[in-house]
Amino acid sequence: MTTRTRNLYILMLANLLMSASMTMIMPFLSLYIETFGDYSNAYVQRWAGYIFGVTFLVAFIFSPIWGRIGDKHGYKGILILTSFGLSVCIFLMGFAHSVTYLLILRIFMGVVTGFIGVSNAFIARQTPRNEAGKILGTLQLGGVTGMLFGPLIGGAMADLFGFKDTFTITGIAMMVAALIVAFGVKEIRTEEQKEAAKVVYSRRAVLKQIFTLRVLFTVMVITALIQIANFSVQPLLALYVGDMTQSDNIAFLSGLAFSATGFGNLVMTRKWGQLGDKYGYEKILNILLIMAAVFVIPQAFATNLWVFIFFRFLFGIAIGGMVPCTTAYIRLAAPGVMQGEMLGYNQSARFLGNVIGPILGGTLAGFTGIPSVFLFMSFMFLVAFFILLYALRSDRIRHVNVD
């Protein structure tokens, strides 16, 4: 087994643990807030959005910084640092007694929330351009598997052991991921990469490169729109599931709703990457955006939990191909010495969407109810589709005129 292949599978395992740990707390975050006092539903929904989103607001700032450091000094140290930092933050959440305490910890989480993005940059840097979609899709299988089982396990543990013990176990799982990377990953930097790292590009030069390549910039905008749509409902799923059923195991059932999306990811994410390698990442991304818009609408009108879960699964099939396609496109279009930082900016776009989505979703749900948030999601996917379609058509016209 080559070093590149070994690193890929080790990071798949680490991504599995990190994604599972991050998503284990999602099904009951709003339920955890309810334990701090006697609050109204609107208050809980609003603060669930703030606490969920603030991590990604801070990560929006720090993600390009991690990518820039990785381009210059290597990625392994960053992977260890971020996984260790996340472990400590999650562990301390078990001792939260107010929304303020929880908010502060989520802010610190934002500083070190860079593991998944840095691991993508690490593998992308070692991957031939014509295989980027397939390899990055393979890497994402680890994260997708974690997303599949994390919410389910987290919801079940919260029902069985309580919130505090669930946070403790989650923190330990993240610490294991840090140790796996520390002792299992071997980062090899060629002489060419070392020499390239000595060339210092200003942030202005990197941003100029992004804005010059129109479709590259458009892909980053679409990345943000995808996350706005996807994350607008994430903090509200437990409450929405609770409205559909009278069961005592709400945390477990909401975890099942989360996991249905992860299972859809698992089924098709690698295949979407392969199709992107073959037919073009932009074309596949446009197909996925339409599919996501269609599969979200029935979720707004579902009254049966199992019907809702079925459409969450179909939605997961569509959403699962978006990350490998956008990441592979950036890997294809970005200069090698800037890839880490450009992927960092793309990750920042994801985090920006993660911030705006929960806040918009929580606010919209407070005024018009949770079902309207799903309709908002569908609209955002359609907006992303038309933006990408316009950018591709404009580029084709520009190339024709140049020729």
Side-chain angles (χ1 to χ4, degrees):
M1 183 182 293
T2 64
T3 299
R4 189 183 77 179
T5 303
R6 184 168 177 266
N7 286 341
L8 173 62
Y9 288 119
I10 289 173
L11 285 178
M12 274 182 63
L13 177 59
N15 275 350
L16 187 155
L17 289 171
M18 294 298 293
S19 296
S21 300
M22 292 289 285
T23 55
M24 277 171 69
I25 67 173
M26 297 307 178
F28 60 81
L29 189 60
S30 55
L31 304 177
Y32 191 45
I33 294 172
E34 289 180 336
T35 66
F36 298 154
D38 185 16
Y39 304 125
S40 66
N41 286 338
Y43 179 92
V44 173
Q45 291 169 3
R46 185 168 64 252
W47 272 100
Y50 296 155
I51 288 172
F52 191 85
V54 71
T55 296
F56 302 110
L57 177 62
V58 179
F60 165 76
I61 299 169
F62 279 87
S63 189
I65 297 174
W66 292 128
R68 189 176 185 85
I69 295 172
D71 284 338
K72 190 168 183 61
H73 302 289
Y75 300 109
K76 181 176 177 179
I78 300 172
L79 291 169
I80 297 170
L81 175 64
T82 53
S83 52
F84 178 79
L86 286 169
S87 172
V88 173
C89 289
I90 292 285
F91 178 82
L92 293 177
M93 282 185 190
F95 300 91
H97 50 78
S98 68
V99 289
T100 304
Y101 183 102
L102 197 57
L103 184 69
I104 292 171
L105 285 175
R106 294 284 294 180
I107 290 171
F108 280 108
M109 275 188 69
V111 176
V112 291
T113 299
F115 186 91
I116 303 296
V118 173
S119 66
N120 279 333
F122 182 96
I123 295 300
R125 190 69 177 267
Q126 301 180 0
T127 302
R129 291 174 181 245
N130 63 331
E131 296 181 335
K134 181 182 70 175
I135 298 299
L136 290 168
T138 302
L139 176 64
Q140 197 187 349
L141 285 176
V144 166
T145 305
M147 288 172 56
L148 171 61
F149 292 106
L152 196 60
I153 295 171
M157 286 174 54
D159 285 332
L160 289 172
F161 307 120
F163 299 128
K164 180 178 178 180
D165 288 344
T166 303
F167 281 115
T168 300
I169 295 171
T170 302
I172 293 172
M174 286 185 165
M175 184 63 68
V176 171
L179 295 174
I180 288 173
V181 172
F183 294 104
V185 170
K186 185 177 182 181
E187 183 169 16
I188 299 175
R189 306 186 80 198
T190 65
E191 289 300 321
E192 183 181 352
Q193 288 174 341
K194 291 178 181 178
E195 288 300 317
K198 294 178 182 178
V199 180
V200 179
Y201 286 92
S202 67
R203 287 184 177 83
R204 182 177 178 181
V206 176
L207 290 171
K208 182 179 179 181
Q209 185 77 12
I210 292 172
F211 285 106
T212 300
L213 299 171
R214 182 180 301 178
V215 178
L216 180 60
F217 173 68
T218 301
V219 165
M220 293 188 181
V221 171
I222 288 171
T223 293
L225 293 175
I226 290 169
Q227 295 305 106
I228 290 173
N230 192 27
F231 274 69
S232 61
V233 79
Q234 295 278 35
L236 308 170
L237 273 181
L239 302 174
Y240 194 54
V241 169
D243 291 339
M244 290 186 196
T245 179
Q246 302 300 317
S247 172
D248 294 330
N249 300 318
I250 299 299
F252 173 76
L253 292 174
S254 60
L256 192 61
F258 271 91
S259 294
T261 304
F263 187 67
N265 282 196
L266 184 64
V267 170
M268 283 294 293
T269 185
R270 190 171 187 269
K271 186 63 177 179
W272 288 128
Q274 290 177 315
L275 291 172
D277 291 335
K278 186 174 182 179
Y279 298 108
Y281 306 114
E282 311 96 316
K283 293 178 182 177
I284 298 301
L285 184 57
N286 255 341
I287 293 171
L288 295 174
L289 290 169
I290 288 293
M291 288 174 60
V294 171
F295 292 144
V296 162
I297 293 174
Q299 297 177 44
F301 303 100
T303 56
N304 180 280
L305 178 61
W306 300 108
V307 171
F308 177 71
I309 288 174
F310 173 71
F311 281 104
R312 292 293 296 172
F313 166 74
L314 294 179
F315 173 70
I317 288 177
I319 203 79
M322 295 181 185
V323 172
C325 283
T326 53
T327 305
Y329 181 80
I330 294 170
R331 166 69 179 90
L332 186 67
V337 293
M338 296 182 180
Q339 279 177 13
E341 189 166 355
M342 284 195 176
L343 286 169
Y345 279 112
N346 189 59
Q347 192 73 0
S348 284
R350 286 171 59 82
F351 290 144
L352 180 63
N354 294 355
V355 174
I356 297 173
I359 293 173
L360 285 179
T363 303
L364 186 60
F367 284 105
T368 60
I370 297 176
S372 63
V373 181
F374 291 99
L375 299 178
F376 168 76
M377 288 174 64
S378 181
F379 174 74
M380 294 303 292
F381 284 121
L382 288 175
V383 169
F385 167 81
F386 284 112
I387 289 176
L388 181 57
L389 194 66
Y390 174 78
L392 292 172
R393 185 171 297 174
S394 297
D395 266 10
R396 280 197 296 270
I397 293 173
R398 184 173 62 179
H399 289 314
V400 169
N401 291 337
V402 169
D403 293 342

